[in-house]
Amino acid sequence: GESVGLHLPTLSVQEGDNSIINCAYSNSASDYFIWYKQESGKGPQFIIDIRSNMDKRQGQRVTVLLNKTVKHLSLQIAATQPGDSAVYFCAVDFNKFYFGSGTKLNVKP
Amino acid sequence: DGGITQSPKYLFRKEGQNVTLSCEQNLNHDAMYWYRQDPGQGLRLIYYSQIVNDFQKGDIAEGYSVSREKKESFPLTVTSAQKNPTAFYLCASSVEIQETQYFGPGTRLLVL
């Protein structure tokens, strides 16, 4: 199987700073990874994904880094804004998707 | 406006009652899923369906039932056998199994 963990349950950053949210997984055969954003009381929203044949992928203000050697995934958010406040969790595909419990990002004005 | 809709937003269940949560998608996705979300935990898979008229149990299927009579619809029934039903229920769909899943807005189920 697979297990997915996030390093911090809560992360507080100043508006304008960069945020880094981490995720660790256990199975080296996992080959597809997704980051989701979930605002309070709403469904998760797809942010960005990456496959195991890549180690970096960039979107608008977001970058996902994949380190297969240590089985670690990170989401970087540039110039964090108040609208980025939410819970962020990763999903790791190994026969089915396994979901982390999430990191709550608080953006301080 | 394409997407996944869930209704109702809030649902109250009385002791011994079965309740049904609706999930509809107009994305033409083959696969659909039901997850349960509890505070501080990752999403847990209840049931999934790869195609119409087929569905499989997930990790926590006891006390739940589903049907997939139409491609667009995947209703979840929370039966009286589910002793701890209070949770946030999320429906998702994907083009096919193991592809990117897109989620609905969720239904919060509360017990009276």
Side-chain angles (χ1 to χ4, degrees):
Chain A
E2 172 64 276
S3 66
V4 180
L6 277 161
H7 293 182
L8 287 175
T10 305
L11 175 67
S12 292
V13 299
Q14 204 70 39
E15 181 179 355
D17 287 351
N18 296 336
S19 303
I20 300 176
I21 299 169
N22 297 301
C23 186
Y25 61 98
S26 63
N27 199 309
S28 57
S30 298
D31 59 5
Y32 182 43
F33 308 84
I34 303 174
W35 279 102
Y36 289 96
K37 172 186 180 182
Q38 187 175 23
E39 297 177 26
S40 183
K42 297 184 178 180
Q45 177 186 354
F46 172 89
I47 301 174
I48 193 168
D49 60 357
I50 190 167
R51 296 201 178 265
S52 58
N53 61 350
M54 302 174 70
D55 52 22
K56 180 179 180 179
R57 191 159 187 229
Q58 289 184 285
Q60 188 178 10
R61 282 201 306 118
V62 294
T63 301
V64 55
L65 298 177
L66 176 63
N67 186 329
K68 294 179 287 293
T69 303
V70 296
K71 290 177 280 192
H72 183 271
L73 184 71
S74 69
L75 176 70
Q76 300 179 3
I77 304 173
T80 311
Q81 301 169 0
D84 295 328
S85 294
V87 173
Y88 292 81
F89 60 87
C90 65
V92 178
D93 181 32
F94 177 70
N95 297 325
K96 71 178 183 90
F97 278 101
Y98 294 82
F99 295 86
S101 56
T103 291
K104 185 174 183 181
L105 178 64
N106 295 318
V107 182
K108 296 178 284 186
Chain B
D1 187 24
I4 304 173
T5 57
Q6 291 185 241
S7 62
K9 188 174 175 67
Y10 296 96
L11 186 57
F12 297 91
R13 193 190 91 163
K14 295 179 181 178
E15 196 75 33
Q17 186 182 40
N18 292 352
V19 292
T20 298
L21 286 61
S22 168
C23 177
E24 304 278 331
Q25 54 97 2
N26 61 4
L27 301 169
N28 201 32
H29 286 174
D30 279 325
M32 296 187 75
Y33 314 79
W34 274 105
Y35 291 94
R36 173 180 171 137
Q37 187 173 41
D38 293 283
Q41 296 188 37
L43 301 182
R44 292 185 290 168
L45 182 64
I46 304 173
Y47 268 98
Y48 67 99
S49 168
Q50 296 190 59
I51 201 164
V52 176
N53 294 321
D54 179 71
F55 50 83
Q56 306 293 331
K57 291 183 179 180
D59 301 316
I60 55 166
E62 186 175 348
Y64 301 97
S65 66
V66 293
S67 62
R68 186 86 187 276
E69 297 176 3
K70 297 187 300 181
K71 186 175 186 176
E72 302 80 18
S73 179
F74 191 40
L76 173 74
T77 297
V78 184
T79 73
S80 57
Q82 173 49 245
K83 297 306 178 189
N84 183 24
T86 298
F88 191 49
Y89 290 87
L90 288 161
C91 178
S93 70
S94 60
V95 172
E96 54 185 42
I97 205 81
Q98 291 187 260
E99 290 296 322
T100 308
Q101 293 181 24
Y102 296 91
F103 288 85
T107 292
R108 187 164 298 280
L109 177 61
L110 300 165
V111 177
L112 294 176

